[in-house]
Amino acid sequence: MRVIIIGAGTGGLCLAHGLKKAGVDVALFERDRTPRSMLIGFRVGISPDGSKALHSCLPPEVFAEFVRTTARPVRRINMRTEKYGELLVADLPPAVDETRSEKSVSRIAMRTALLNGLEDVVRFDKTFTHYRHNDDGTVTAFFADGTSETGDVLVGADGAQSKVRKQRLPDAKVVDTGITSIAGKLKMTPETLALLPPDGDEAVTLLYGPKGAFVILHVMHFDNGGAEDDYIMWGFSAAHDKFPDLRGMTRDQLKQVVLDLTPNYHPNLRELFRRADPETVFEIRIRTSEKLPPWRASNVTMIGDSVHLMTPGRGIGANTALRDAELLCRKLVEAHHGKDLVEAVSEYEREMVEYGFEAVLASREQMDGRGAIHKPVIGRVVLACFRTFLRVTNALPPLKHRMMARDMADRDHVDSAHEVVRAR
């Protein structure tokens, strides 16, 4: 069996490794000209689900290299107001082992690690245009340079703008959530670390401001890369109508927009915004998929954002793609050993659609510009109630334990909830 994968993102690379390790002939095609082209964003959070998928699919030496490139693990969830007032702080338990742990990794470092061992599989500078089903049951992928490739299975792992999805499921919709995000990155130094909120180091910090605004802070220490690689990343999100027209703005101007929208935020937080390297600042309008009615399986399928694009609200997009890759790999290996191919794909798609679109809906709940919290009057009431709920939960350890355990259990579909969080 020959499998063609379109897209060398996290899910596509994981799937390629799993298939190659199982002895399946696989070829992966990526439109980027080089491994470091066009990568925006910085931190990728790998959940226990994602770690298990990577451990299952990657050869041991590649998994070890991936682990080596990760940053120090997140040790706590740190929820605060925009003025750094404490709402809820919860410590996370140390990892039991590397195969089932939360990890923080740089997007570029992750791609570099996952490319190891796939030199004979991945082909860059190959822009997919369309595919064609052949009379003999195979499928042919066509590329913008005039070349083509034929295989038994075609897998779209080509992200939010998936051309595979547009041909395979032309009625699939990707919709605007009403949320805009601007993000930036700054070098970690003793001075910038001192600007973080209390409990902010080695944490994911979530700051809830007025008018539905939301800030996330990530701290990335790389023990294996040297202090010069360490950085802090911030992201500021709000409903579209809170922003001016961003079209044509420079990166410096985007950073100034965040400062203009946050005059009453904690001065240290504003200093983190101000110190971001302009070359790292970017903006994005958050979009998400809408669930489709069931479709009939074929030898063309999809994984990750190409089929269930979700907001970053729960930090599970990459992990769901990895879960897809591990599941599809198992099903295709079964077909490689004699199982009916279309039935194998059908089994994958039935399971993937169920958990994938549950994740889409859960992620949208966290980032939806239509929510009451973004409204002019009722939004203040909703924010006050939400903050009160977090403060009360923070003051009652059993309640905090249950809340955090439920949230973390969603990121690890093997662990029982009571093993997940040690509340502080």
Side-chain angles (χ1 to χ4, degrees):
M1 185 172 67
R2 180 168 176 75
V3 179
I4 299 169
I5 303 172
I6 307 299
T10 301
L13 291 169
C14 181
L15 176 60
H17 270 295
L19 293 171
K20 181 180 178 182
K21 189 168 74 168
V24 178
D25 185 11
V26 59
L28 190 156
F29 299 86
E30 167 57 47
R31 68 179 181 177
D32 288 352
R33 298 192 66 182
T34 73
R36 298 177 69 89
S37 299
M38 299 298 290
L39 282 180
I40 65 171
F42 311 110
R43 175 188 181 269
V44 179
I46 302 300
S47 71
D49 271 345
S51 289
K52 290 196 295 288
L54 287 165
H55 184 259
S56 172
C57 291
L58 270 53
E61 66 276 10
V62 177
F63 184 78
E65 174 62 15
F66 159 71
V67 171
R68 191 192 69 79
T69 64
T70 60
R72 294 179 193 171
V74 172
R75 301 193 184 279
R76 70 186 63 88
I77 302 298
N78 188 29
M79 299 182 182
R80 296 183 175 270
T81 71
E82 81 284 1
K83 297 181 184 295
Y84 285 4
E86 182 173 325
L87 296 174
L88 185 149
V89 179
D91 287 346
L92 305 179
V96 176
D97 62 67
E98 293 292 358
T99 69
R100 289 173 57 189
S101 64
E102 291 272 347
K103 299 179 178 65
S104 294
V105 64
S106 161
R107 189 175 296 273
I108 292 176
M110 184 172 186
R111 177 187 259 188
T112 301
L114 296 191
L115 282 168
N116 286 333
L118 293 180
E119 293 80 6
D120 58 336
V121 169
V122 182
R123 305 177 196 179
F124 284 94
D125 200 16
K126 302 289 285 188
T127 300
F128 171 82
T129 58
H130 65 285
Y131 65 83
R132 181 190 68 209
H133 289 288
N134 303 314
D135 292 340
D136 62 357
T138 60
V139 59
T140 299
F142 295 89
F143 302 94
D145 60 5
T147 62
S148 63
E149 192 80 14
T150 297
D152 300 289
V153 187
L154 175 69
V155 180
D158 47 342
Q161 302 284 351
S162 173
K163 292 181 179 178
V164 176
R165 180 189 67 240
K166 289 176 182 177
Q167 184 176 349
R168 178 70 182 87
L169 301 174
D171 294 330
K173 293 181 180 179
V174 173
V175 298
D176 191 320
T177 65
I179 298 292
T180 292
S181 290
I182 298 178
K185 170 182 168 182
L186 60 150
K187 183 176 175 59
M188 186 188 299
T189 66
E191 292 76 20
T192 56
L193 277 174
L195 298 172
L196 292 171
D199 299 302
D201 194 9
E202 298 188 1
V204 173
T205 297
L206 311 173
L207 306 171
Y208 299 94
K211 301 180 181 179
F214 170 85
V215 178
I216 187 166
L217 299 174
H218 293 298
V219 181
M220 300 287 282
H221 293 275
F222 294 96
D223 291 330
N224 296 307
E228 68 276 4
D229 296 323
D230 296 346
Y231 66 84
I232 299 169
M233 176 186 173
W234 55 258
F236 174 86
S237 302
H240 293 333
D241 61 7
K242 307 303 187 297
F243 292 85
D245 186 351
L246 302 178
R247 288 175 294 184
M249 283 194 177
T250 66
R251 297 173 186 265
D252 267 318
Q253 289 171 328
L254 290 174
K255 183 168 68 170
Q256 187 59 48
V257 166
V258 176
L259 289 166
D260 292 343
L261 291 175
T262 57
N264 298 318
Y265 282 41
H266 196 288
N268 286 359
L269 180 59
R270 286 172 49 77
E271 187 62 22
L272 288 172
F273 295 153
R274 187 176 288 109
R275 292 193 183 202
D277 178 355
E279 291 303 311
T280 70
V281 177
F282 67 94
E283 63 94 8
I284 186 170
R285 292 169 72 96
I286 305 298
R287 300 181 303 149
T288 190
S289 295
E290 289 192 342
K291 189 173 181 179
L292 280 168
W295 62 87
R296 180 174 295 180
S298 74
N299 61 344
V300 176
T301 191
M302 296 147 291
I303 65 173
D305 286 350
S306 63
V307 63
H308 46 56
L309 176 66
M310 61 193 72
T311 82
R314 291 184 63 84
I316 52 178
N319 296 294
T320 309
L322 290 170
R323 189 176 176 186
D324 293 348
E326 192 274 335
L327 174 60
L328 181 57
C329 180
R330 280 193 282 113
K331 295 300 180 181
L332 291 180
V333 170
E334 290 174 8
H336 180 60
H337 292 294
K339 185 171 186 172
D340 179 79
L341 173 59
V342 174
E343 178 58 27
V345 172
S346 178
E347 290 176 359
Y348 156 72
E349 290 182 342
R350 284 197 297 269
E351 188 172 340
M352 174 272 293
V353 165
E354 182 176 352
Y355 67 71
F357 282 93
E358 283 181 1
V360 167
L361 292 174
S363 297
R364 182 159 189 173
E365 288 176 0
Q366 303 295 317
M367 300 188 79
D368 191 341
R370 303 170 303 177
I373 200 168
H374 299 284
K375 306 302 181 186
V377 178
I378 194 174
R380 291 196 292 271
V381 176
V382 173
L383 178 62
C385 292
F386 177 63
R387 288 177 171 179
T388 299
F389 167 76
L390 290 178
R391 289 187 179 108
V392 170
T393 302
N394 198 41
L396 299 173
L399 182 59
K400 177 162 64 172
H401 179 89
R402 287 196 297 272
M403 173 185 166
M404 297 303 296
R406 185 169 58 250
D407 182 74
M408 293 301 295
D410 288 341
R411 297 168 65 80
D412 184 356
H413 292 81
V414 174
D415 282 349
S416 59
H418 70 272
E419 294 176 323
V420 178
V421 168
R422 180 182 69 252
R424 192 178 77 174

